[in-house]
Each structure stands twice: as structure tokens, then as C-alpha cells.
Amino acid sequence: MVRINGKDIEAAGQNLLAYLTDQEYRTDRIAIELNGDIVSRKDYDKVTLKDGDSMEIVHFVGGG
């Protein structure tokens, strides 16, 4: 299980970029914190989610 934004999700073993794409996240409008570290957008395809990981996905929104 991977804790994503406070919820336990069956995502262990998945590539981070594949997970984000499957969940229809716009990778140009989010930031990822994995186990307390910010993941660079260029590294999303190099990261494999592991059992026990904790991830926060933050969305950027525009407005005035």
C-alpha cells in the first residue's frame, strides 16, 4: 500500500509517471512529495512506488 494524500492506495510496484497518467493528473500542474522529498518532474518516469511510501500530490491552480 502507498499512502497518497492521506489515503492508502494499492499502487506499490507502479511507475510514478504511469500512476499519474492512469489517474489523469496533468503533470505540468502538480508537485509531488514522496517520503518527505520533492520529486523533480524529469524524474517521474524513474520512480517506482514501493509498499509503505507516503506521497502528497499538490495541484497548482490559477485565478485572481
Side-chain angles (χ1 to χ4, degrees), residues 6-53:
K7 296 181 181 179
D8 290 327
I9 307 290
E10 291 285 347
Q14 276 194 294
N15 173 275
L16 176 57
L17 183 59
Y19 173 80
L20 295 171
T21 302
D22 288 347
Q23 298 301 310
E24 299 182 355
Y25 283 103
R26 290 194 50 189
T27 57
D28 61 330
R29 296 196 178 186
I30 60 173
I32 302 293
E33 179 187 294
L34 182 62
N35 300 322
D37 295 318
I38 301 298
V39 179
S40 175
R41 190 172 289 123
K42 67 179 177 59
D43 293 329
Y44 288 177
D45 64 336
K46 299 173 187 143
V47 174
T48 300
L49 299 171
K50 295 181 282 306
D51 198 34
D53 279 348

